[in-house]
Amino acid sequence: MAKKKIINKKSMTFLEKYLNNAAPTGYEWNGQKVWMDYLKPYVDEFITDSYGTAVGVINPKAKYKVVIEGHADEISWYVNYITDNGLLYVIRNGGSDHQIAPSKWVNIHTKNGIVKGVFGWPAIHTRNKSKEDPPKLDNIFIDVGCSNKKEVEALGVHVGCVITYPDEFHVLNKDKFVCRAIDNRAGGFMVAEVARLIHENKVKLPFGLYVTNSVQEEIGLRGAQMITETIKPNVAIVTDVCHDTTTPMIDKKTQGETKIGAGPVISYAPAVQNRLRERIIETAEDKGIPFQRMASSRSTGTDTDAFAYSNGGVPSALISLPLRYMHTTVETVHKDDVENVIRLIYETLLTIKDGETFSYFD
């Protein structure tokens, strides 16, 4: 298992389709359908909830339940105000970065379909060189090619329309995956690949496995908060992205040191159950899977927190995929890290026994 390549041609086709599909926070369902279609041969049934979280279940009748989870949503914008001369001002839907907006194409999602627009910006020639205004939430704007508000509304654009970037998947230098929304559709991809491996290797798990793709993580872990109350798991292993801190302008003294290509990142945090985390580390060491360590403070800022503090406390742990340029349109990860996160989750599941509590007092 340790040296065998995991990602195959079918996997790559799914990953590209899944990443290219827009699934902004609150509008994840089309992406969830893509994900469920890929996962269907590898699970026994699906659970969905009213806000769009999807769960593929293996061994649904088992009493002991283990979750492996990623989140499905991507950051985006909302139309917030339309000016009389037909320009659009926006507010965030999740942690969208105002500094990268100028000169970007956008897709505005309307009932009539996609309306194209651009984030405009004054030309360099027209700006005061001694006192330049940086991009800010109150000065970035979208131009959809209209001369007044009535023309904008005729396109189907109105306050509340959600806006995404159209940037699509590329492979950089053969082994780097680049796209918007790798945070965290990579997580949904990786847990789906774990389910595929379990199926293809004919593994008989002694528990129910809940392969979970939660919605609305980017605005406060909301989907995980809802679905954990539905599943009521005994254990949860969450995967999300974390920062590659080796690129310029990042302070390692405050951000720690993690980098793409060096393996999955295992977190230390109050929400991370220590015995479960040590099981993951022992598995990595036993199987020769490279890994890195990261410390969080009060919270991990991921769905781990939602699972951990639910249902009277659920032993939870976080395995992160290191990523460069988070919340930009060129998020970048290393293929080897993607495979090793899949491998580490898979191998850890094989060590979990039916009824295991991970209690500090056993």
Side-chain angles (χ1 to χ4, degrees):
M1 179 75 188
K3 294 184 179 179
K4 183 180 177 183
K5 290 294 180 185
I6 292 171
I7 298 173
N8 59 30
K9 187 175 180 180
K10 184 180 178 183
S11 303
M12 284 295 294
T13 299
F14 164 57
L15 176 61
E16 182 168 357
K17 181 179 180 181
Y18 186 45
L19 282 170
N20 289 346
N21 175 81
T25 301
Y27 299 80
E28 299 94 343
W29 58 85
N30 285 329
Q32 295 289 57
K33 291 175 183 177
V34 172
W35 184 79
M36 293 168 72
D37 185 59
Y38 179 76
L39 192 62
K40 189 174 181 179
Y42 313 129
V43 299
D44 297 318
E45 66 180 39
F46 284 101
I47 298 169
T48 57
D49 71 16
S50 57
Y51 276 85
T53 290
V55 184
V57 187
I58 299 171
N59 300 337
K61 294 182 179 179
K63 291 184 179 180
Y64 189 78
K65 302 174 182 179
V66 177
V67 161
I68 57 174
E69 191 257 11
H71 73 81
D73 58 321
E74 66 181 286
I75 58 169
S76 55
W77 303 97
Y78 280 121
V79 176
N80 187 51
Y81 170 59
I82 304 171
T83 69
D84 290 341
N85 61 342
L87 299 176
L88 316 180
Y89 284 83
V90 298
I91 57 171
R92 293 185 178 94
N93 185 20
S96 299
D97 189 345
H98 51 278
Q99 291 202 34
I100 71 159
S103 82
K104 295 295 296 180
W105 281 95
V106 295
N107 287 338
I108 304 170
H109 298 257
T110 79
K111 289 183 178 179
N112 302 332
I114 297 294
V115 172
K116 289 286 184 180
V118 295
F119 271 111
W121 195 244
I124 189 170
H125 320 70
T126 68
R127 304 198 301 261
N128 183 339
K129 311 299 187 294
S130 64
K131 187 185 169 184
E132 287 200 309
D133 283 332
K136 295 179 292 185
L137 192 60
D138 64 0
N139 68 12
I140 58 173
F141 62 91
I142 293 172
D143 188 335
V144 292
C146 293
S147 58
N148 56 57
K149 184 175 182 178
K150 189 174 181 180
E151 287 183 16
V152 173
E153 292 173 339
L155 293 175
V157 175
H158 55 75
V159 169
C161 283
V162 71
I163 304 159
T164 58
Y165 293 116
D167 301 68
E168 295 195 336
F169 176 79
H170 290 86
V171 177
L172 182 67
N173 194 24
K174 299 180 181 178
D175 58 8
K176 314 302 187 304
F177 298 157
V178 180
C179 196
R180 45 153 259 291
I182 289 177
D183 173 15
N184 179 34
R185 290 220 263 294
F189 170 75
M190 293 186 296
V191 296
E193 289 295 272
V194 171
R196 176 176 67 84
L197 292 181
I198 289 168
H199 176 82
E200 291 180 352
N201 295 335
K202 296 179 170 58
V203 174
K204 300 297 182 185
L205 296 172
F207 49 76
L209 183 65
Y210 290 70
V211 185
T212 303
N213 210 11
S214 297
V215 298
Q216 299 195 23
E217 187 273 349
E218 294 290 355
I219 49 89
L221 324 181
R222 301 307 188 190
Q225 179 185 334
M226 290 184 276
I227 200 65
T228 188
E229 301 296 341
T230 299
I231 298 171
K232 301 190 184 306
N234 299 95
V235 178
I237 298 174
V238 173
T239 184
D240 206 327
V241 294
C242 66
H243 302 289
D244 177 323
T245 62
T246 65
T247 55
M249 301 167 65
I250 299 176
D251 184 358
K252 294 177 187 175
K253 294 190 293 293
T254 58
Q255 298 297 323
E257 183 172 13
T258 47
K259 58 184 178 180
I260 64 170
V265 179
I266 299 173
S267 280
Y268 290 70
V272 174
Q273 212 272 354
N274 292 288
R275 290 187 67 177
L276 179 57
R277 184 197 59 243
E278 290 307 302
R279 175 71 60 82
I280 293 168
I281 290 172
E282 289 162 7
T283 301
E285 291 172 339
D286 182 53
K287 298 300 178 181
I289 301 170
F291 68 93
Q292 308 173 76
R293 290 180 169 93
M294 178 176 72
S296 298
S297 183
R298 292 177 62 86
S299 67
T300 70
T302 72
D303 284 338
T304 311
D305 303 335
F307 282 96
Y309 299 131
S310 71
N311 300 293
V314 176
S316 301
L318 173 61
I319 302 173
S320 297
L321 176 68
L323 173 145
R324 290 182 171 179
Y325 322 124
M326 193 181 297
H327 287 201
T328 74
T329 57
V330 291
E331 295 183 334
T332 302
V333 296
H334 199 298
K335 180 180 180 181
D336 290 350
D337 292 335
V338 175
E339 291 209 332
N340 279 320
V341 170
I342 296 165
R343 187 173 284 119
L344 184 53
I345 296 172
Y346 173 86
E347 293 290 355
T348 300
L349 289 176
L350 299 187
T351 74
I352 296 177
K353 299 177 178 61
D354 182 22
E356 200 165 359
T357 67
F358 292 93
S359 171
Y360 300 132
F361 305 104
D362 287 350

